[in-house]
Amino acid sequence: MGEASRYDRVVLKLSGEVFADTTTGSGIDAAVVQRIAEEVAAANTELGVEIAVVVGGGNIFRGMPGAERGMDRARADYMGMLATVINALALQDALEGVGQPTRVQTAITMAQIAEPYIPRRAIRHLEKGRVVVFAAGTGNPYFTTDTTAALRAAEIGAAAILKGTHSGVVYTADPRTDPAAVKIEKLSHFDVLARGLQVMDSTAITFCMDNELPIIVFDVSAPGNIHRALLGEPIGTLVSSETVEAR
């Protein structure tokens, strides 16, 4: 095709909600997981991009709502981490179903179903053309899977984080409630923090700023967008240390 990815190694962050059945907002929609698997596999083979994936678990269980209902916060977070493992295994199955070798690594040891998270082993898998799916968050309560994506990206030397969402673009305000909300194509990590924009949680944004990790926020529900994001097409919002949105 003659196309080249802007990035040689990336972390693709997928929220659990991306996997959800749209009619119920929960569970796993096999067709969606299959499409994402096909796009990830194509990016790996056609563009030569090394791809690691961090998955959330919000389609099955979210820690914060559990804590708000009176559950112990740490226990609720661990339940959320286990939910991410279910999504990771579903994605692994879909990836291997389209011929893409895949390894799941978990931050909580569960030897019967996945490898433990070992950075050097993860890098070796990527170098061999395998997709690596990181599950169980950081292995610690109180940290989101956004922070996991930032941490893992730094540990494996990724060039960028691709954050796949349903909207794909950052706005100056919530467009559902504010008709004056405007799309933002480029901005800095500092601007995200200063303006309280909903890109990632503040811990993840601060980590990305300190480690100069760019974040590409894009709509993963639109077919072909993973490919477009890797090519650098302006399909969403770019957050980096070098770009500040003009006011």
Side-chain angles (χ1 to χ4, degrees):
M1 294 188 302
E3 295 176 313
S5 171
R6 178 172 292 186
Y7 313 100
D8 56 357
R9 179 182 294 166
V10 300
V11 167
L12 173 64
K13 168 61 169 61
L14 299 172
S15 67
E17 287 82 358
V18 168
F19 286 4
D21 185 323
T22 54
T23 58
T24 63
S26 62
I28 297 175
D29 186 327
V32 171
V33 177
Q34 177 72 18
R35 179 185 61 76
I36 290 174
E38 289 172 355
E39 290 194 31
V40 169
N44 182 271
T45 56
E46 295 172 13
L47 295 177
V49 183
E50 297 176 4
I51 302 179
V53 185
V54 170
V55 290
N59 56 319
I60 300 170
F61 187 87
R62 294 182 67 87
M64 279 299 290
E68 290 166 0
R69 292 195 300 270
M71 289 186 69
D72 175 78
R73 171 64 192 274
R75 185 172 297 117
D77 280 355
Y78 280 120
M79 290 174 67
M81 290 180 221
L82 295 178
T84 73
V85 178
I86 294 174
N87 285 337
L89 293 176
L91 181 59
Q92 179 187 33
D93 188 72
L95 282 162
E96 293 187 341
V98 295
Q100 173 60 58
T102 305
R103 300 290 186 272
V104 174
Q105 291 194 345
T106 58
I108 298 173
T109 304
M110 41 190 78
Q112 289 84 349
I113 59 173
E115 296 179 3
Y117 171 62
I118 301 172
R120 296 295 301 174
R121 182 179 289 179
I123 291 168
R124 188 64 179 142
H125 286 320
L126 293 170
E127 291 172 344
K128 285 181 173 289
R130 300 164 185 154
V131 168
V132 182
V133 184
F134 296 127
T138 66
N140 302 289
Y142 299 96
F143 291 93
T144 67
T145 49
D146 279 348
T147 300
T148 304
L151 179 62
R152 296 290 182 259
E155 287 180 297
I156 66 170
I161 298 171
L162 273 58
K163 181 174 167 64
T165 68
H166 278 300
S167 61
V169 177
V170 180
Y171 290 84
T172 53
D174 188 340
R176 294 170 296 185
T177 58
D178 186 349
V182 177
K183 293 180 180 179
I184 304 173
E185 290 188 1
K186 296 180 180 181
L187 73 165
S188 68
H189 300 100
F190 184 80
D191 254 4
V192 172
L193 294 170
R195 297 165 64 177
L197 299 173
Q198 299 301 306
V199 176
M200 285 180 157
D201 67 82
S202 59
T203 304
I205 291 293
T206 301
F207 186 94
C208 288
M209 180 170 65
D210 291 346
N211 291 277
E212 298 185 351
L213 272 167
I215 306 161
I216 299 93
V217 186
F218 72 104
D219 181 3
V220 75
S221 64
N225 266 2
I226 292 175
H227 188 93
R228 296 186 190 100
L230 288 167
L231 294 180
E233 294 183 17
I235 58 171
T237 298
L238 170 64
V239 181
S240 82
S241 57
E242 301 172 357
T243 52
V244 182
E245 186 240 1
R247 288 176 173 78

